[in-house]
Amino acid sequence: MAKTIAEKILSAHAGKDLRQGDYALCKVDFCLGQDGTSGLIIDALKEIGAKKLAASSRFCMVIDHSAPSPNIGVSAIHKKMRTFARDFDLTLYDIGCGVCHQVVLESGRVLPGDLVVGADSHTCTYGALGALSTGFGSADLALTLASGRNWFKVPQTIKIVVDGKLPKGVYAKDLILHIIGDLTADGCTYNSVEFTGSAIRALSIDGRFTISNMAVEMGAKCGIMEPDKKTLAWLKKYTNKRIRPVFADKGAVYSDIRHYDASRLSPKIARPHTVDNVVDMGKLKNKPIDEAFIGTCTNGRLEDLKIAASILKGKKVDPKVRLIVAPASKPIFLEAMRSGIVEALVNAGANVVTPGCGPCVGTHNGVPADGEVVISTANRNFKGRMGNPNAFIYLASPATVAVSALRGRFTDPRRYVR
Amino acid sequence: MKLKGRAHRFGDAVNTDYIISGRYKFKIQDPKLLARHVMEDLRPDFYKSIKKGDFLVAGKNFGCGSSREQAPLAIKYAGISAVIAKSFARIFFRNAINLGLLPIECDTSKIKEGDVLDIDVDKGLVINKTRKKEIDIRPLPDFMSRIIKDGGVLKHFIKHSGFKINA
């Protein structure tokens, strides 16, 4: 019988034929934790008395959510992680390496067809390479690390087909915001999503990561794309392992199939305090902003920084606006320095902070004041997300954020991009 | 299993940042201290109004957002015995079961703040004593009930030397 990508990947990892709705124990190819979740992973392993970790060579920890540490409490968690990594001889990416998802992707450890779990909800990012990757809590991650396996429910799948060419000034971020606005924050709950169509294939791999990254914002378990030549070329930079792509069968059963036309899209923005509160950028035209943030596992990659630099080069950010930039990883930071992106951004008034999650999770690096308005390239705009429940967070593309920082007010980027 | 308590009523899409803010979850490791900040951004000092055994009652998509296990942990340590919602986000649902915190899926539209509720898990009913109404619960798969009965996934894993998916 014809299968979806999720049915195929989970069947292969359970060693038996699975259908949507089945429960099964599956072997996990890779797993990870970050500094917000690893403390509890370590506690859980202690509680079960784990002496050996079956997946120790298929695991890593990344210190990214508060890096470097802003306070004593966080320092204690970081120390606990470093000690644990030493005791069990585990891979630890310490402060400055970058956001866990970009670090894992650049480590070449995730391949098409893999089953990956991470103690971070945005683990779904790797779906863009054709892997089934999803977020877990800390206890589940600990048991995966200890035993090399965990249980999975085989999800139903919603197919999202995007055709047409994205207009100038409209990006992957605008597309995924539009889809989330349409399907809503729980529109894909318990489902796998398969993104397909000519507009998805036309995206760069960086753009595809942006799309898969936000699958969880509509409740999806994972957001998978079929690998193509671009995927293989991207993977070649990071691994020489043999690639075995997994494709959906013709006739696979979908719980829903949705069609979108990219050519009709305009720049989008998600208003406070939910990600599905999406409107056309034009609706907010000229509303003043206080802070602008470019970075995160959604939009802190080279392509994103390049777009921002091309808009800001030789100009100055509005003096009433603080612009903060966090490259998603150290290699991205280095390349952005080599290619003059960092210089252009800093000259324009940007504050470039350590590669990592930056201000997205509200621990440091730019907590807004009461009543302030923030425009950000992140994936969440929940009340209090950036550390202050009395601030207002809006989500948009790097181009929209850069242009808005320049003008000091919400601005449609289409007139400003070359 | 039977539970008794009062309803603390919240709305739709209560995300994990609201349940326990990143301001606290990254630096506080003691779950009892974490519990003092539960739902703080939605209702300051909420933890003070909880009596042991009370229920959180919400609309759809409860627990959406991050994978932080500190969310169900803070709820549990605040004294809440079950979360009753129209629907749950999947990571929170799984985390709650893993911690032995009962997630109950049912129509919550007829439950108001302060209502006294009885939950009969085996019969699959929420009985609203205040409004004299019975509400059907969407049953949990046997495997998940077993994890709850074992006292959470870690105890389950120790007891069965692994995951026991089939009876």
Side-chain angles (χ1 to χ4, degrees):
Chain A
M1 240 181 90
K3 281 184 178 157
T4 62
I5 298 177
E7 286 173 320
K8 280 188 172 180
I9 293 178
L10 289 171
S11 295
H13 288 79
K16 62 179 176 188
D17 197 38
L18 297 174
R19 296 280 146 198
Q20 37 198 282
D22 289 344
Y23 290 87
L25 201 59
C26 294
K27 185 183 176 232
V28 169
D29 295 305
F30 196 76
C31 55
L32 67 138
Q34 34 87 343
D35 49 333
T37 54
S38 291
L40 290 174
I41 295 174
I42 297 165
D43 293 348
L45 288 168
K46 208 171 272 173
E47 193 174 331
I48 62 165
K51 298 273 182 302
K52 272 193 182 163
L53 305 176
S56 63
S57 64
R58 295 180 270 135
F59 170 75
C60 75
M61 279 184 299
V62 185
I63 297 181
D64 60 355
H65 275 56
S66 316
S69 169
N71 58 54
I72 298 167
V74 169
S75 300
I77 294 171
H78 289 177
K79 185 178 173 185
K80 185 171 168 177
M81 290 170 72
R82 292 180 187 119
T83 307
F84 173 67
R86 245 191 330 267
D87 291 351
F88 283 87
D89 195 21
L90 302 166
T91 304
L92 172 81
Y93 295 97
D94 216 312
I95 59 166
C97 289
V99 187
C100 57
H101 303 307
Q102 190 61 23
V103 169
V104 165
L105 287 167
E106 289 171 0
S107 75
R109 296 299 303 269
V110 176
L111 303 180
D114 276 0
L115 178 60
V116 180
V117 295
D120 186 283
S121 59
H122 293 110
T123 304
C124 53
T125 309
Y126 322 147
L129 295 181
L132 196 168
S133 61
T134 193
F136 262 8
S138 298
D140 261 329
L141 206 288
L143 295 176
T144 310
L145 175 55
S147 70
R149 291 158 196 277
N150 210 317
W151 66 270
F152 292 83
K153 181 183 180 185
V154 184
Q156 295 187 306
T157 297
I158 296 171
K159 182 148 100 171
I160 295 179
V161 188
V162 191
D163 288 311
K165 193 171 173 286
L166 279 173
K168 197 180 78 167
V170 184
Y171 303 90
K173 181 62 162 286
D174 300 299
L175 171 59
I176 190 63
L177 286 177
H178 176 71
I179 293 172
I180 295 167
D182 185 43
L183 295 180
T184 76
D186 65 347
C188 300
T189 300
Y190 303 127
N191 274 267
S192 166
V193 169
E194 284 179 16
F195 291 104
T196 184
S198 59
I200 299 293
R201 285 190 292 275
L203 290 172
S204 67
I205 299 297
D206 279 5
R208 294 182 196 181
F209 287 141
T210 302
I211 303 270
S212 289
N213 173 270
M214 292 191 74
V216 68
E217 307 311 331
M218 40 192 190
K221 182 172 194 153
C222 49
I224 310 180
M225 297 175 186
E226 291 183 334
D228 61 8
K229 275 185 195 157
K230 281 188 200 169
T231 321
L232 300 182
W234 188 92
L235 282 162
K236 234 182 181 171
K237 288 190 282 182
Y238 302 103
T239 179
N240 49 23
K241 287 202 198 98
R242 220 181 117 199
I243 314 289
R244 296 181 189 83
V246 175
F247 302 101
D249 288 332
K250 252 191 196 136
V253 178
Y254 293 96
S255 54
D256 196 4
I257 300 175
R258 310 291 293 225
H259 291 269
Y260 294 93
D261 181 357
S263 68
R264 297 178 53 171
L265 287 183
S266 55
K268 302 282 171 183
I269 191 157
R271 297 174 295 181
H273 296 288
T274 59
V275 184
D276 58 359
N277 190 10
V278 176
V279 291
D280 284 336
M281 192 57 217
K283 282 231 163 150
L284 296 171
K285 213 160 63 185
N286 291 332
K287 183 182 163 67
I289 61 169
D290 300 291
E291 182 171 313
F293 173 45
I294 299 170
T296 77
C297 52
T298 316
N299 277 125
R301 282 175 270 273
L302 199 65
E303 181 178 286
D304 305 316
L305 304 186
K306 202 183 264 178
I307 291 167
S310 74
I311 290 166
L312 294 170
K313 193 174 180 181
K315 302 195 176 85
K316 294 280 180 217
V317 164
D318 186 281
K320 291 189 291 300
V321 175
R322 311 176 293 272
L323 173 62
I324 297 160
V325 177
S329 74
K330 189 186 282 184
I332 290 170
F333 193 15
L334 286 168
E335 184 52 36
M337 282 200 270
R338 276 192 289 267
S339 56
I341 290 172
V342 167
E343 195 180 344
L345 292 172
V346 171
N347 273 331
N351 298 272
V352 181
V353 301
T354 309
C357 303
C360 170
V361 281
T363 52
H364 64 156
N365 276 340
V367 175
D370 286 357
E372 284 194 331
V373 171
V374 182
I375 186 166
S376 162
T377 64
N379 42 41
R380 292 200 175 123
N381 59 351
F382 303 151
K383 189 176 169 176
R385 173 76 179 179
M386 293 180 74
N388 186 346
N390 302 314
F392 301 88
I393 308 166
Y394 293 74
L395 308 175
S397 76
T400 301
V401 173
V403 170
S404 299
L406 196 63
R407 292 198 62 243
R409 45 194 70 242
F410 287 112
T411 307
D412 186 325
R414 283 178 292 187
R415 276 200 313 121
Y416 294 79
V417 293
R418 268 166 258 149
Chain B
M1 189 167 34
K2 281 183 183 163
L3 303 168
K4 258 184 202 315
R6 295 173 313 152
H8 296 275
R9 183 70 226 218
F10 290 85
D12 289 340
V14 173
N15 63 62
T16 53
D17 276 88
Y18 294 169
I19 299 169
I20 186 72
S21 162
R23 296 198 296 290
Y24 306 115
K25 81 128 179 173
F26 290 106
K27 62 178 181 193
I28 300 176
Q29 294 198 63
D30 181 348
K32 287 195 256 351
L33 295 180
L34 214 51
R36 292 186 179 186
H37 301 288
V38 71
M39 299 292 195
E40 187 181 275
D41 285 352
L42 291 182
R43 223 174 273 178
D45 283 336
F46 171 60
Y47 83 99
K48 288 183 184 165
S49 66
I50 300 168
K51 278 198 199 127
K52 202 170 164 44
D54 280 357
F55 307 119
L56 277 192
V57 180
K60 61 178 189 164
N61 207 18
F62 187 89
C64 58
S66 98
S67 69
R68 65 191 69 171
E69 203 165 279
Q70 288 92 337
L73 197 66
I75 293 173
K76 190 180 160 178
Y77 275 82
I80 298 286
S81 60
V83 182
I84 309 171
K86 239 177 221 171
S87 66
F88 290 89
R90 63 161 281 278
I91 307 177
F92 180 90
F93 187 75
R94 197 169 163 141
N95 283 345
I97 287 168
N98 284 347
L99 292 182
L101 173 72
L102 196 60
I104 291 181
E105 243 179 33
C106 67
D107 177 10
T108 54
S109 54
K110 300 276 155 54
I111 305 174
K112 305 273 184 278
E113 177 73 23
D115 283 2
V116 177
L117 310 176
D118 280 2
I119 301 177
D120 189 327
V121 177
D122 303 314
K123 282 193 185 148
L125 284 178
V126 172
I127 301 138
N128 189 335
K129 305 281 260 190
T130 308
R131 286 169 214 284
K132 313 218 170 354
K133 281 209 161 65
E134 290 190 354
I135 307 159
D136 288 330
I137 297 173
R138 196 170 153 193
L140 272 183
D142 290 345
F143 168 49
M144 295 181 197
S145 299
R146 202 173 305 134
I147 293 176
I148 299 254
K149 276 182 191 140
D150 288 341
V153 77
L154 297 180
K155 292 196 173 83
H156 169 92
F157 193 88
I158 295 167
K159 183 178 167 186
H160 304 285
S161 306
F163 297 102
K164 192 170 163 57
I165 294 180
N166 300 309

